[in-house]
């Protein structure tokens, strides 16, 4: 049975629950008892729904529901970088319905809210997650409340507004905005469709990695050895952990691939912790960075991200803003226009190549998470 389970005390909650934290304060994980699904052989369905046998709302009873909420998410191209980097592949999620990988998780949250008869949902974000959720809420006929910092730029809010979401501008930092959203959710019994707190989101982002394995198999190439992932709130990294952990649990994979987590040097609480061997993010003074999508000074799932990276035998690096901008310009010069945050991992790849030339022999995948027209 599909359920929510406290990460700290293992207390269980039904999927239909409006709880977004355990009564002990712990964060919730998602658990299910699906039979093994080999991503390479999975086939029934379009886009990410080809993995429906191991996805929430993937059963026959929810087919009509999924068809009414889906915007055609998933099934994005895996492009060879070509040129001087024959071992490098780019997974182009900037092709998604709202132009970022967040659609993979947003569809799960909109489905949950609709299935469990919530009329109104809320999220705190001023970026791609809010754009994605606003779109899927509109598609599902739900009222979407988006809590944003009062300082959020008008450009960022245009798409959210266009989808008919209700904007709540909150004074203070990201934590204050999250607190305001949680208070409103509790008071009004809305569904908290948070890309950070709601673990259904990671069920969507895990499909990113299963698609890559399936695409490599279709082309007759070996699966990637290294994934370089930008990390702020960890929505992609925790999806990677989920994707590979399930395959290992089912006996379909021997060990985790190598994961390199990337933070912007100006805002790197997880990197600071990683370097010291700490298990929780360090308190930092965040500075401005062009990689706004991963500029999270106090990630709520920080402890979980660090533990997952350790279990995956991963590593962590930081990149400077000028390297990110140079990497973005170079991708654009080769026909690939992504937002600044999305270029952080290409910058990290080049940095790794420069200090470890043997890295050029590894088969590497970079996710390209968001479209270039989304950032200034
Ligand atoms: Zn608990």
């Amino acid at each position: 049975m599909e359920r929510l389970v406290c990460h700290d005390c293992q207390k269980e909650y039904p999927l239909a629950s409006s709880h977004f934290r355990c009564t002990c304060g712990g964060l919730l994980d998602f658990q299910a008892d699906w039979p093994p699904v080999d991503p390479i052989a999975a086939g029934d369905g379009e886009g990410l729904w080809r993995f429906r046998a191991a996805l929430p709302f993937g059963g026959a009873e929810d087919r009509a529901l999924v068809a009414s909420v889906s915007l055609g998410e998933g099934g994005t191209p895996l492009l060879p970088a070509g040129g001087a980097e024959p071992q490098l592949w780019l997974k182009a999620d900037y092709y998604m319905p709202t132009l970022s990988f967040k659609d993979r998780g947003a569809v799960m949250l909109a489905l949950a809210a609709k299935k469990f008869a919530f009329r109104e949902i809320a999220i705190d974000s001023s970026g791609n997650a809010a754009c994605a959720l606003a779109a899927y809420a509109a598609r599902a006929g739900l009222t979407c409340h988006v809590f944003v910092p009062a300082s959020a730029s008008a450009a960022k809010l245009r798409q959210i507004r266009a989808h008919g979401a209700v904007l709540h501008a909150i004074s203070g930092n990201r934590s204050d905005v999250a607190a305001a959203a949680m208070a409103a959710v509790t008071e009004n019994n809305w569904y908290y469709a948070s890309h950070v707190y709601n673990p259904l989101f990671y069920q969507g982002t895990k499909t990113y990695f299963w698609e890559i394995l399936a695409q490599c198999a279709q082309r007759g190439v070996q699966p990637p050895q290294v994934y370089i992932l930008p990390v702020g709130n960890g929505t992609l990294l925790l999806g990677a952990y989920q994707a590979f952990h399930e395959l290992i649990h089912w006996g379909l994979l021997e060990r985790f691939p190598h994961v390199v987590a990337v933070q912007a040097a100006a805002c790197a609480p997880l990197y600071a912790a990683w370097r010291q061997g700490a298990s929780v993010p360090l308190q930092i003074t965040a500075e401005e960075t062009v990689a706004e999508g991963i500029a999270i000074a106090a990630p709520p799932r920080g402890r979980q991200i660090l533990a997952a990276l350790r279990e995956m035998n991963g590593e962590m690096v930081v990149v400077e803003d000028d390297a990110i901008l140079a990497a973005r310009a170079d991708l654009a010069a080769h026909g690939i226009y992504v937002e600044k945050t999305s270029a952080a991992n290409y910058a990290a790849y080049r940095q790794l190549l420069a200090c470890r030339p043997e890295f050029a022999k590894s088969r590497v995948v970079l996710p390209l998470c968001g479209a270039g027209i989304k950032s200034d």
Side-chain angles (χ1 to χ4, degrees):
M1 205 186 62
E2 298 169 15
R3 59 210 175 262
L4 305 173
V5 183
C6 174
H7 194 76
D8 294 339
C9 78
Q10 275 71 55
K11 184 172 173 183
E12 296 192 3
Y13 297 85
L15 212 53
S17 162
S18 59
H19 280 275
F20 51 86
R21 289 197 95 137
C22 180
T23 47
C24 83
L27 295 172
L28 300 177
D29 290 333
F30 173 90
Q31 282 184 12
D33 311 304
W34 292 310
V37 169
D38 185 346
I40 293 169
D44 177 23
E46 286 176 33
L48 63 79
W49 295 103
R50 68 192 297 262
F51 308 114
R52 61 168 67 243
L55 288 178
F57 320 109
E61 70 281 10
D62 288 327
R63 283 215 174 198
L65 174 71
V66 169
S68 72
V69 174
S70 173
L71 288 166
E73 54 286 341
T76 55
L78 181 66
L79 309 169
E85 291 154 346
Q87 295 278 67
L88 180 64
W89 293 77
L90 311 169
K91 174 68 171 165
D93 253 28
Y94 65 98
Y95 282 54
M96 292 288 270
T98 76
L99 309 182
S100 93
F101 82 103
K102 294 282 199 325
D103 293 351
R104 292 180 190 271
V107 69
M108 299 298 166
L109 304 190
L111 282 166
K114 192 166 182 189
K115 174 160 179 165
F116 303 128
F118 289 89
R119 306 279 319 200
E120 302 187 50
I121 66 175
I123 186 172
D124 44 283
S125 155
S126 55
N128 290 336
C131 290
L133 199 74
Y136 280 90
R139 174 85 167 151
L142 304 163
T143 301
C144 183
H145 297 269
V146 178
F147 289 74
V148 295
S151 57
S153 76
K156 275 194 198 169
L157 306 176
R158 206 173 297 133
Q159 187 183 357
I160 297 169
R161 234 186 240 118
H163 292 307
V166 183
L167 280 168
H168 303 259
I170 305 296
S171 309
N173 61 26
R174 290 285 286 253
S175 303
D176 298 323
V177 178
M182 289 181 205
V185 161
T186 305
E187 192 183 322
N188 300 297
N189 196 33
W190 293 339
Y191 188 71
Y192 191 30
S194 164
H195 59 301
V196 182
Y197 284 91
N198 196 315
L200 280 171
F201 201 91
Y202 308 103
Q203 289 300 308
T205 54
K206 79 180 180 187
T207 62
Y208 208 122
F209 301 92
W210 288 359
E211 276 181 18
I212 292 168
L213 297 180
Q215 287 168 314
C216 287
Q218 276 159 10
R219 289 163 200 203
V221 298
Q222 291 292 309
Q225 295 158 310
V226 182
Y227 294 81
I228 304 184
L229 309 178
V231 177
N233 270 317
T235 43
L236 197 55
L237 186 137
L238 292 173
Y241 178 81
Q242 189 86 40
F244 298 122
H245 186 266
E246 282 180 9
L247 297 182
I248 291 169
H249 173 71
W250 291 330
L252 295 169
L253 185 70
E254 251 177 64
R255 65 178 83 85
F256 285 104
H258 186 61
V259 170
V260 181
V262 184
Q263 292 216 287
C267 184
L270 294 165
Y271 175 75
W274 184 260
R275 240 183 19 173
Q276 291 191 9
S279 61
V280 292
L282 296 197
Q283 284 213 336
I284 56 149
T285 308
E287 287 162 37
E288 290 271 304
T289 167
V290 295
E292 57 183 4
I294 50 171
I296 309 295
R301 288 194 186 263
R303 183 160 56 96
Q304 200 175 355
I305 294 167
L306 290 165
L309 192 59
R310 215 161 272 128
E311 196 179 331
M312 292 191 283
N313 198 23
E315 66 178 304
M316 197 145 214
V317 298
V318 284
V319 287
E320 300 287 344
D321 273 14
D322 53 358
I324 294 173
L325 293 173
R328 184 196 192 213
D330 203 32
L331 286 169
H334 291 84
I336 291 162
Y337 192 44
V338 295
E339 62 180 334
K340 292 168 191 163
T341 306
S342 286
N345 48 6
Y346 188 44
Y349 176 71
R350 292 169 141 195
Q351 198 170 294
L352 286 163
L353 273 187
C355 58
R356 292 185 227 160
E358 74 278 6
F359 204 74
K361 296 194 191 107
S362 301
R363 296 185 302 276
V364 179
V365 165
L366 302 181
L368 298 178
C369 299
I373 57 164
K374 279 180 161 263
S375 55
D376 301 330

